[in-house]
mmCIF file of all heavy atoms in Angstrom:
data_model
loop_
_atom_site.group_PDB
_atom_site.id
_atom_site.type_symbol
_atom_site.label_atom_id
_atom_site.label_comp_id
_atom_site.label_asym_id
_atom_site.label_seq_id
_atom_site.Cartn_x
_atom_site.Cartn_y
_atom_site.Cartn_z
ATOM 1 N N LYS U 361 122.010 93.017 78.291
ATOM 2 C CA LYS U 361 120.892 92.783 79.223
ATOM 3 C C LYS U 361 121.394 92.885 80.664
ATOM 4 O O LYS U 361 120.796 93.549 81.502
ATOM 5 C CB LYS U 361 120.270 91.401 78.970
ATOM 6 C CG LYS U 361 119.060 91.119 79.840
ATOM 7 C CD LYS U 361 118.374 89.804 79.483
ATOM 8 C CE LYS U 361 117.132 89.594 80.355
ATOM 9 N NZ LYS U 361 116.458 88.303 80.102
ATOM 10 N N ALA U 362 122.571 92.266 80.911
ATOM 11 C CA ALA U 362 123.146 92.316 82.261
ATOM 12 C C ALA U 362 123.311 93.761 82.698
ATOM 13 O O ALA U 362 122.923 94.144 83.807
ATOM 14 C CB ALA U 362 124.487 91.599 82.278
ATOM 15 N N ALA U 363 123.847 94.578 81.810
ATOM 16 C CA ALA U 363 124.075 96.002 82.127
ATOM 17 C C ALA U 363 122.741 96.673 82.461
ATOM 18 O O ALA U 363 122.615 97.379 83.473
ATOM 19 C CB ALA U 363 124.743 96.702 80.953
ATOM 20 N N ARG U 364 121.707 96.401 81.646
ATOM 21 C CA ARG U 364 120.391 97.013 81.897
ATOM 22 C C ARG U 364 119.884 96.612 83.283
ATOM 23 O O ARG U 364 119.374 97.433 84.044
ATOM 24 C CB ARG U 364 119.395 96.572 80.829
ATOM 25 C CG ARG U 364 119.563 97.279 79.483
ATOM 26 C CD ARG U 364 118.286 97.225 78.655
ATOM 27 N NE ARG U 364 117.835 95.848 78.445
ATOM 28 C CZ ARG U 364 118.339 95.035 77.496
ATOM 29 N NH1 ARG U 364 119.323 95.471 76.710
ATOM 30 N NH2 ARG U 364 117.895 93.813 77.341
ATOM 31 N N ILE U 365 120.074 95.325 83.617
ATOM 32 C CA ILE U 365 119.572 94.845 84.916
ATOM 33 C C ILE U 365 120.336 95.499 86.062
ATOM 34 O O ILE U 365 119.747 95.988 87.027
ATOM 35 C CB ILE U 365 119.670 93.306 84.995
ATOM 36 C CG1 ILE U 365 118.579 92.703 84.108
ATOM 37 C CG2 ILE U 365 119.557 92.816 86.424
ATOM 38 C CD1 ILE U 365 118.620 91.210 83.983
ATOM 39 N N ILE U 366 121.655 95.568 85.913
ATOM 40 C CA ILE U 366 122.460 96.189 86.980
ATOM 41 C C ILE U 366 122.003 97.625 87.212
ATOM 42 O O ILE U 366 121.869 98.084 88.348
ATOM 43 C CB ILE U 366 123.963 96.152 86.627
ATOM 44 C CG1 ILE U 366 124.459 94.709 86.653
ATOM 45 C CG2 ILE U 366 124.764 97.012 87.586
ATOM 46 C CD1 ILE U 366 125.869 94.538 86.155
ATOM 47 N N THR U 367 121.698 98.321 86.130
ATOM 48 C CA THR U 367 121.269 99.718 86.258
ATOM 49 C C THR U 367 119.960 99.826 87.022
ATOM 50 O O THR U 367 119.672 100.846 87.650
ATOM 51 C CB THR U 367 121.062 100.352 84.868
ATOM 52 O OG1 THR U 367 122.018 99.792 83.981
ATOM 53 C CG2 THR U 367 121.224 101.857 84.928
ATOM 54 N N LYS U 368 119.171 98.767 86.987
ATOM 55 C CA LYS U 368 117.871 98.788 87.676
ATOM 56 C C LYS U 368 118.021 98.491 89.171
ATOM 57 O O LYS U 368 117.083 98.682 89.945
ATOM 58 C CB LYS U 368 116.908 97.767 87.038
ATOM 59 C CG LYS U 368 116.413 98.154 85.664
ATOM 60 C CD LYS U 368 115.183 97.329 85.275
ATOM 61 C CE LYS U 368 114.589 97.800 83.971
ATOM 62 N NZ LYS U 368 115.451 97.450 82.798
ATOM 63 N N LEU U 369 119.201 97.994 89.583
ATOM 64 C CA LEU U 369 119.413 97.670 91.002
ATOM 65 C C LEU U 369 119.609 98.938 91.814
ATOM 66 O O LEU U 369 120.057 99.951 91.286
ATOM 67 C CB LEU U 369 120.644 96.771 91.165
ATOM 68 C CG LEU U 369 120.612 95.379 90.549
ATOM 69 C CD1 LEU U 369 121.980 94.716 90.706
ATOM 70 C CD2 LEU U 369 119.534 94.535 91.210
ATOM 71 N N PRO U 370 119.291 98.887 93.132
ATOM 72 C CA PRO U 370 119.680 99.991 94.003
ATOM 73 C C PRO U 370 121.207 100.111 93.975
ATOM 74 O O PRO U 370 121.893 99.102 93.803
ATOM 75 C CB PRO U 370 119.203 99.568 95.391
ATOM 76 C CG PRO U 370 118.199 98.495 95.156
ATOM 77 C CD PRO U 370 118.555 97.843 93.863
ATOM 78 N N HIS U 371 121.703 101.318 94.175
ATOM 79 C CA HIS U 371 123.145 101.538 94.055
ATOM 80 C C HIS U 371 123.964 100.589 94.913
ATOM 81 O O HIS U 371 124.941 100.000 94.463
ATOM 82 C CB HIS U 371 123.492 102.985 94.419
ATOM 83 C CG HIS U 371 123.081 103.962 93.373
ATOM 84 N ND1 HIS U 371 121.777 104.084 92.963
ATOM 85 C CD2 HIS U 371 123.792 104.858 92.655
ATOM 86 C CE1 HIS U 371 121.706 105.020 92.029
ATOM 87 N NE2 HIS U 371 122.908 105.500 91.816
ATOM 88 N N ASP U 372 123.542 100.401 96.184
ATOM 89 C CA ASP U 372 124.355 99.558 97.075
ATOM 90 C C ASP U 372 124.380 98.113 96.576
ATOM 91 O O ASP U 372 125.421 97.457 96.585
ATOM 92 C CB ASP U 372 123.856 99.638 98.531
ATOM 93 C CG ASP U 372 122.354 99.384 98.615
ATOM 94 O OD1 ASP U 372 121.637 99.672 97.636
ATOM 95 O OD2 ASP U 372 121.891 98.898 99.658
ATOM 96 N N ALA U 373 123.239 97.642 96.075
ATOM 97 C CA ALA U 373 123.192 96.275 95.545
ATOM 98 C C ALA U 373 124.086 96.161 94.309
ATOM 99 O O ALA U 373 124.887 95.232 94.195
ATOM 100 C CB ALA U 373 121.765 95.902 95.187
#
Side-chain angles (χ1 to χ4, degrees):
Chain U
K361 183 174 182 183
R364 283 202 304 278
I365 286 175
I366 292 173
T367 326
K368 289 196 174 71
L369 296 174
H371 287 58
D372 51 332

